[in-house]
Amino acid sequence: AMMRGGHLDICVLGAFQVSATGDLANWSTGEPGAIPAVGGAMDLAIGAKQTWVMMDLLTKKGESKIVERCTYPLTGIACVKRIYTDLCTLECTPQGLKLIDAVEGLSHAELERIINLPIAA
């Protein structure tokens, strides 16, 4: 009732991928043999007034978890408002990503290179 009733102001979730427009993939990578973690994340992601994601920016392979389009099964569409990572904080907007903050010494250009997407300042 709390999740589906719109009573949550903010929900904080982890993610495998987040798209530039706020699509969330956090329950399965689709890899053979991987056990999907289906749970209440779908209800949380769309039931809260704001959904924030906390995650490392890069995978163990060094690839960005922030992508143009999610390739993993979606948890929610355009539900993520903010992404908090170890390197930066971004806002997801209908126009794409907007930089809120970055770690000291990380330039805007370098962050765009890492993510491989344009980021509004």
Side-chain angles (χ1 to χ4, degrees), residues 68-121:
E68 185 175 355
R69 281 184 65 153
C70 293
T71 56
Y72 297 152
L74 293 181
T75 305
I77 298 171
C79 60
V80 176
K81 300 299 178 221
R82 289 231 175 138
I83 307 168
Y84 294 89
T85 77
D86 51 332
L87 298 178
C88 64
T89 301
L90 300 165
E91 183 177 350
C92 296
T93 74
Q95 295 77 35
L97 299 169
K98 180 180 176 186
L99 182 63
I100 295 172
D101 196 14
V103 296
E104 189 173 326
L106 180 62
S107 72
H108 189 268
E110 180 66 9
L111 185 59
E112 284 185 319
R113 188 195 66 74
I114 292 169
I115 296 176
N116 198 29
L117 290 170
I119 302 169

